[in-house]
Amino acid sequence: MRRRVIVACLLCLSPALAWAESTDQQQMKGLDEVQEIKSAVLDIAQELSRLEEKLLFPSGTQVAVFVELAPADTMRLDAVRLTIDGQLVAQSIYSFKELEALRKGGVQRLYVGNVATGDHQLEALMEGKTEGGADFSRTQQFTFRKDVKPKMVGLKLSGPSSSAPIALEEW
């Protein structure tokens, strides 16, 4: 008798279990579809970002400014501020990880923007600390010429004991 009751209960629960399993499969399928949609949206956003950059910064008027540290320099770079033709265009405050990346030879793209062809004034200000812990600040002005093609400019930064703490390199 007890065995018949158990079998009867199992027969009654069997459709419920099948329905629950079917519902779980439908939910998993729904989650997979959501993941596919999220992936597609991220791909579209990335493509839109690339197109926006091409529209905002056409290659004929584009200037890019990069920052790097002089090899084996022991100063701690805290911040860099960049002006072009008297207008502040970029500034960066460096975290420990960013500074370590620069010390290992990394290069940071500090600014990308549009400028007209011709001569331009670039002013770079860097602030930091010497190996001994003393604060320092250096400002340097440069003139660069922008032609019809894109322009890339590098700023090589070194400590205050260097003869040229900020050096301009045109790439």
Side-chain angles (χ1 to χ4, degrees):
M1 174 81 171
R2 185 173 188 184
R3 190 177 214 186
R4 286 184 186 171
V5 171
I6 292 174
V7 170
C9 287
L10 287 176
L11 288 175
C12 290
L13 290 176
S14 181
L17 291 174
W19 177 81
E21 187 175 306
S22 172
T23 303
D24 286 345
Q25 289 175 350
Q26 288 174 350
Q27 287 177 344
M28 292 301 289
K29 185 178 177 184
L31 289 175
D32 288 343
E33 290 173 355
V34 168
Q35 286 300 103
E36 289 174 12
I37 291 169
K38 282 173 90 175
S39 179
V41 167
L42 290 174
D43 290 343
I44 291 169
Q46 188 177 23
E47 182 65 22
L48 283 173
S49 179
R50 277 194 294 264
L51 290 172
E52 180 182 31
E53 188 168 323
K54 283 183 179 180
L55 286 172
L56 292 176
F57 308 117
S59 62
T61 62
Q62 186 176 24
V63 65
V65 180
F66 297 86
V67 172
E68 66 180 318
L69 293 181
D73 197 276
T74 58
M75 67 132 175
R76 185 187 86 197
L77 181 65
D78 290 334
V80 172
R81 195 170 309 131
L82 182 69
T83 61
I84 295 180
D85 297 329
Q87 291 188 333
L88 179 67
V89 293
Q91 56 188 358
S92 182
I93 298 174
Y94 295 93
S95 69
F96 177 77
K97 287 184 178 183
E98 291 169 327
L99 184 56
E100 283 302 305
L102 287 172
R103 283 189 176 142
K104 290 179 181 176
V107 177
Q108 177 201 14
R109 182 176 75 173
L110 183 63
Y111 172 72
V112 175
N114 297 326
V115 296
T117 56
D119 291 336
H120 297 277
Q121 280 294 121
L122 182 143
E123 181 178 283
L125 169 104
M126 74 171 183
E127 296 174 335
K129 290 193 181 291
T130 64
E131 189 175 17
D135 292 332
F136 74 91
S137 178
R138 297 290 185 273
T139 303
Q140 187 76 38
Q141 292 184 350
F142 304 96
T143 300
F144 70 93
R145 179 156 189 80
K146 171 70 176 80
D147 295 323
V148 175
K149 61 184 182 182
K151 180 73 168 183
M152 292 193 296
V153 177
L155 295 173
K156 187 173 278 192
L157 309 177
S158 34
S161 60
S162 170
S163 61
I166 304 174
L168 181 77
E169 298 175 342
E170 296 190 38
W171 299 336

